[in-house]
Amino acid sequence: KAYDWVIGSSDRIAAVNASYGAGTYTSTSACVEDNMFDDELVGRITRKGISFVAASGNTPGLNFTSSPACIPEAIAVGSTTNSDTMAFHTSMAEWVDLLAPGEMVITTFPGETYAWGTGTSGSTALVSGSIQVQKDIYEGGSPAFMKQNLIDTGVKVEDHRTNPEGRST
């Protein structure tokens, strides 16, 4: 119902922040096959000019994410440490678009309060906020433009964690 409200809204919405996930997907095609409804929903939202920002997941790994981060039109976000290295907890795959700080981030917490948190949800919120700022600067910028602008202007981070075969990426 919340996404239907976003799609039907005449308000100026820059981004949907999707800090949830399900499944473990090693390809975007398998993800779309299993999540056709979500794929269509993300498409409807992005066609309206709203970025769909999704957390990659908090299961350490190098070749998978959860859904909806594995849906091609979503902006998939993983986490970095506070020193701009890959966070151990982040799920990662070739389709993860952006990384943002995700260790000890102050975030909202149940009971109308704030707390320190670690995970890709905090990273996703930071990217969603960055898209809102961009929307104020680049009126009419598409979700693809917003994503590419963040990629082009961001700090490059390499993932040196080791996968189960002993290789690093």
Side-chain angles (χ1 to χ4, degrees):
K1 287 184 178 185
Y3 291 149
D4 287 338
W5 181 86
V6 167
I7 292 165
S9 175
S10 61
D11 291 340
R12 192 173 154 272
I13 300 170
V16 166
N17 184 74
S19 294
Y20 62 87
T24 302
Y25 293 96
T26 57
S27 75
T28 56
S29 59
C31 174
V32 169
E33 187 176 314
D34 286 355
N35 300 281
M36 294 174 90
F37 177 79
D38 289 338
D39 181 52
E40 173 57 30
L41 191 62
V42 171
R44 288 174 58 207
I45 289 169
T46 57
R47 284 190 298 277
K48 189 165 178 176
I50 300 168
S51 298
F52 191 96
V53 186
S56 67
N58 296 317
T59 303
L62 301 173
N63 63 350
F64 62 87
T65 68
S66 60
S67 175
C70 54
I71 293 174
E73 286 188 80
I75 298 173
V77 179
S79 289
T80 63
T81 66
N82 293 331
S83 57
D84 292 330
T85 60
M86 184 66 67
F88 175 77
H89 66 264
T90 195
S91 301
M92 192 65 186
E94 64 185 38
W95 57 84
V96 173
D97 301 296
L98 296 164
L99 301 169
E103 281 192 343
M104 299 307 291
V105 176
I106 295 178
T107 186
T108 55
F109 202 73
E112 298 181 23
T113 188
Y114 298 91
W116 292 97
T118 294
T120 56
S121 292
S123 306
T124 302
L126 292 171
V127 170
S128 295
S130 297
I131 289 171
Q132 177 61 58
V133 170
Q134 285 192 92
K135 199 79 160 178
D136 290 341
I137 297 168
Y138 306 107
E139 288 187 38
S142 70
F145 171 82
M146 301 299 176
K147 176 178 81 172
Q148 192 59 52
N149 193 45
L150 289 173
I151 291 168
D152 292 344
T153 59
V155 173
K156 305 299 179 208
V157 175
E158 289 190 38
D159 191 350
H160 293 291
R161 298 174 299 167
T162 303
N163 67 19
E165 291 82 36
R167 297 186 310 259
S168 64
T169 59

